[in-house]
Amino acid sequence: MISKEIMQILSVSEIASETVEMVLRNEYISEQAIPGQFLHILIDGHTLRRPISIADINRESKTVTILFKIIGDGTKTLAGFKEGMEIDVLGPSGNGFLIEEQDSVVLLIGGGIGVPPMYYLARTMVKKGKKVIAVLGFQSKSHVFYEEKFKELGETIVVTNDGSYGERGFVTDILGKIGSFDTYYSCGPVPMLRAVTNELQGRRGFISIEERMGCGVGACLACVIPATDEKGYKKICSDGPVFDAREVTL
Amino acid sequence: MNKLAVELPGLSLKNPIMPASGCFGFGREYSDFYDLSKLGAVIMKAATGERRLGNPTPRVAETNSGMLNAIGLQNPGVEAIIREEVPFLAQYNTNIIANIAGSTIEEYEEVALAFNDTEDVQALELNISCPNVKEGGIQFGTDPMMAARVTEVVKKASNLPVYVKLSPNVSNIVEMAQAVEAAGADGLSMINTLTGMQIHLPTRTPLLANKTGGLSGSAIKPIAIRMIYEVKQHVSIPIIGMGGVSTAEDVVEFLLAGASGVAVGTANFTNPFVCSDIIDELPRTLKKYGFDSVKEVIGKAVTLA
């Protein structure tokens, strides 16, 4: 259940171009959060909170790691926060990824700032004894992060749009070369998710969608997506952000 | 005696605080944060005759000291609201105000009639000021004749008190207020959002898919205060004030300007506990400015000679 919590900032570091890793401490969130959930973060002076996905959890040290890209005033201010400061968050928010107990191999496809939630998912999958294959897409070499951390968990293929590191192109360009898997999980910009779901049509998959949010709790209907059910739509913040690839229309 | 209590047509409010329409859904999500019985009232999200799916996304964009929204009156339709949402809110000891909208006068009438059959709704808020739909909404809210006409029809159809929600997107707000008062409105609700737009520099496109949206949040508070103050001098029906309220001090300011009830909108997104926090803080804030009760603050703004 979503709670309004105060989190202590333990560290802030720029781990790739315009990409910041922040480690936060909070008992409730670290105990409750599952892969795919996000924090709705208040940044002083801003009307709307910023939804940022959870990249990792450590229940022993009660820490929560988030990664975000500096794209506007809010994330720029957040990036300037220092160790020892506190932030007000709502969380853990959203539904999280469904893990199919019978699966033995899972394919994780992350694009840009959609990579972070894939990391906590990958760690959880490995802990459950599943084999993980990760395909990580970035703009260019300076944007690449967490490659080593993913490699510790399983086969990892990095793709950059400009070919400055790893394979050249888009994540979808290499999906044909991947071995067999049971379920795929993907997070990234909508055009990438559209391409991934098209490429893997008919396969069981879950996608995590980002959108500009208002309340972040399901009340304001700012972040909706057309759905195939009779209601006709889903709320990304509260029904998602993770959806079965077949239940929403990208 | 309850120092926060206010009596308005159809509404015995234990305190003047209520979440504004569209910023609180039908209360379900916020009931996880605090007991909704604490609220003076809840103004539900707009109801239309049929289900509406609203506008394409992005539907929100932050601005300096506020936000733009263009949700587009998404709602499950009046029948579903009466069947599924009103009973949920009716569990709480608070007043329910139904916000009603339509594309045509006939639709407004149909929605108003539908609420006659439920005992749990205490008042209607007539939404003639939504800036984000192509038909209806604001076209009724910017022409005094149209506003009066839809007010008359809804008053005739409904057995509930009708608060007309005014648009600030007019050059003469007093004229609008007087027109709906003469047409039988029991109260006013003001202000709705101001039409605005924001352009994303890297893509050179409007941030909202709808291009324009309604500006809300603390950026619009001085406009709301000015309009309520002006209207209060010229009408005798009570005003529910709204527009950028986020603290108990803001509430006192709205009361001074002439509001008898105060709705909180956008601030719910920043802090889901905001209405509850304001209600806790209000007695201290009243005392700080030399008041014993909410009632004695209403319309007490003074101008120095």
Side-chain angles (χ1 to χ4, degrees):
Chain A
M1 179 153 139
I2 300 176
S3 173
K4 187 164 173 279
E5 296 283 321
I6 297 297
M7 303 185 86
Q8 286 81 39
I9 300 176
L10 299 186
S11 70
V12 187
S13 47
E14 192 160 340
I15 59 163
S17 176
E18 296 162 333
T19 310
V20 176
E21 180 189 69
M22 196 177 258
V23 181
L24 306 162
R25 189 178 184 284
N26 178 280
E27 192 165 343
Y28 179 78
I29 306 258
S30 67
E31 280 172 3
Q32 299 289 319
I34 61 166
Q37 289 188 303
F38 66 93
L39 302 179
H40 210 32
I41 301 179
L42 181 67
I43 300 166
D44 282 344
H46 288 269
T47 300
L48 295 178
R49 289 171 178 262
R50 299 301 195 270
I52 295 177
S53 60
I54 293 169
D56 202 13
I57 293 284
N58 184 321
R59 294 208 161 119
E60 287 71 51
S61 61
K62 301 179 175 32
T63 57
V64 179
T65 303
I66 57 170
L67 265 76
F68 58 92
K69 199 166 174 184
I70 302 171
I71 47 167
D73 289 344
T75 42
K76 192 175 165 188
T77 305
L78 186 61
F81 283 15
K82 302 277 180 257
E83 176 192 334
M85 290 170 74
E86 291 182 332
I87 53 173
D88 172 329
V89 310
L90 296 180
S93 299
N95 59 351
F97 289 108
L98 182 73
I99 297 174
E100 308 269 11
E101 293 304 328
Q102 74 279 12
D103 285 356
S104 54
V105 183
V106 293
L107 171 61
L108 312 189
I109 307 156
I113 209 61
V115 170
M118 291 293 132
Y119 183 67
Y120 183 28
L121 179 63
R123 282 219 314 121
T124 307
M125 290 290 188
V126 169
K127 211 181 271 179
K128 286 182 177 286
K130 300 179 197 309
K131 188 178 163 215
V132 168
I133 306 169
V135 177
L136 313 177
F138 300 94
Q139 275 170 266
S140 67
K141 187 180 178 184
S142 67
H143 292 92
V144 176
F145 59 86
Y146 273 30
E147 183 189 9
E148 293 308 315
K149 291 170 79 97
F150 273 95
K151 279 193 165 151
E152 286 168 19
L153 300 172
E155 183 188 347
T156 301
I157 302 153
V158 172
V159 186
T160 55
N161 300 156
D162 63 3
S164 54
Y165 189 83
E167 306 274 329
R168 182 194 190 92
F170 295 99
V171 291
T172 39
D173 294 338
I174 58 147
L175 292 183
K177 303 176 203 163
I178 302 292
S180 69
F181 61 90
D182 300 302
T183 303
Y184 75 89
Y185 297 83
S186 188
C187 183
V190 168
M192 182 196 100
L193 294 178
R194 202 177 283 135
V196 166
T197 51
N198 273 339
E199 188 74 24
L200 299 176
Q201 213 159 26
R203 305 297 305 261
R204 186 168 65 228
F206 296 93
I207 54 174
S208 180
I209 300 170
E210 62 172 12
E211 180 57 271
R212 287 172 183 268
M213 290 181 187
C215 67
V217 298
C220 77
L221 304 183
C223 62
V224 298
I225 184 164
T228 50
D229 66 354
E230 62 172 54
K231 214 167 87 176
Y233 72 97
K234 297 272 183 191
K235 304 182 213 179
I236 293 174
C237 66
S238 57
D239 297 328
V242 178
F243 296 98
D244 185 308
R246 292 159 299 191
E247 68 181 337
V248 290
T249 313
L250 289 169
Chain B
M1 183 199 121
N2 175 3
K3 292 174 177 184
L4 300 186
V6 190
E7 293 291 326
L8 293 177
L11 303 165
S12 278
L13 305 176
K14 61 169 87 80
N15 63 64
I17 307 304
M18 54 191 94
S21 183
C23 298
F24 209 71
F26 300 99
R28 287 179 193 274
E29 294 78 13
Y30 290 93
S31 70
D32 288 342
F33 292 107
Y34 62 90
D35 180 1
L36 303 186
S37 297
K38 201 170 169 180
L39 297 165
V42 172
I43 312 180
M44 294 193 292
K45 182 156 179 57
T48 53
E50 300 298 322
R51 161 180 102 146
R52 291 201 192 180
L53 287 174
N55 291 325
T57 59
R59 294 176 171 186
V60 291
E62 194 178 67
T63 66
N64 286 343
S65 305
M67 62 176 281
L68 290 167
N69 89 80
I71 307 296
L73 295 182
Q74 178 164 5
N75 79 96
V78 67
E79 294 303 336
I81 290 171
I82 290 171
R83 199 174 58 240
E84 286 152 30
E85 306 298 345
V86 172
F88 171 79
L89 275 173
Q91 305 170 72
Y92 297 95
N93 177 24
T94 188
N95 290 278
I96 304 176
I97 303 174
N99 180 295
I100 65 167
S103 302
T104 59
I105 288 195
E106 291 71 30
E107 188 178 1
Y108 278 102
E109 185 180 22
E110 173 199 340
V111 179
L113 279 169
F115 280 110
N116 284 345
D117 301 330
T118 159
E119 286 170 11
D120 296 316
V121 172
Q122 279 76 41
L124 298 183
E125 180 178 57
L126 177 55
N127 184 354
I128 55 166
S129 43
C130 178
N132 299 323
V133 289
K134 284 195 184 68
E135 291 170 336
I138 205 161
Q139 81 186 56
F140 293 106
T142 49
D143 174 349
M145 300 277 284
M146 293 276 278
R149 177 86 189 105
V150 70
T151 303
E152 254 169 39
V153 168
V154 168
K155 267 301 291 178
K156 203 174 161 197
S158 180
N159 55 19
L160 295 170
V162 176
Y163 291 77
V164 181
K165 188 165 187 177
L166 299 182
S167 170
N169 300 299
V170 295
S171 48
N172 189 344
I173 189 76
V174 171
E175 187 187 15
M176 295 300 302
Q178 287 174 325
V180 300
E181 182 182 36
D186 299 280
L188 300 171
S189 173
M190 57 189 288
I191 57 174
N192 206 320
T193 56
L194 288 118
T195 314
M197 180 166 155
Q198 206 166 13
I199 297 168
H200 183 238
L201 300 187
T203 55
R204 305 176 191 180
T205 56
L207 265 168
L208 297 178
N210 189 52
K211 292 183 189 156
T212 62
L215 180 65
S216 64
S218 49
I220 73 166
K221 199 186 84 180
I223 300 168
I225 294 290
R226 185 267 291 177
M227 289 188 160
I228 291 165
Y229 182 81
E230 281 182 3
V231 165
K232 182 69 181 170
Q233 321 301 315
H234 295 95
V235 300
S236 53
I237 49 176
I239 299 168
I240 297 173
M242 65 205 64
V245 177
S246 66
T247 65
E249 305 228 338
D250 292 341
V251 171
V252 173
E253 193 178 349
F254 274 75
L255 295 171
L256 284 171
S260 301
V262 179
V264 182
T266 302
N268 288 290
F269 303 165
T270 316
N271 172 14
F273 290 94
V274 68
C275 291
S276 172
D277 290 352
I278 288 175
I279 293 163
D280 290 340
E281 189 58 37
L282 197 52
R284 270 191 298 276
T285 309
L286 288 173
K287 203 171 164 200
K288 180 178 171 187
Y289 294 99
F291 295 105
D292 274 333
S293 71
V294 163
K295 268 184 258 180
E296 63 179 269
V297 192
I298 300 165
K300 290 295 162 56
V302 291
T303 44
L304 297 174

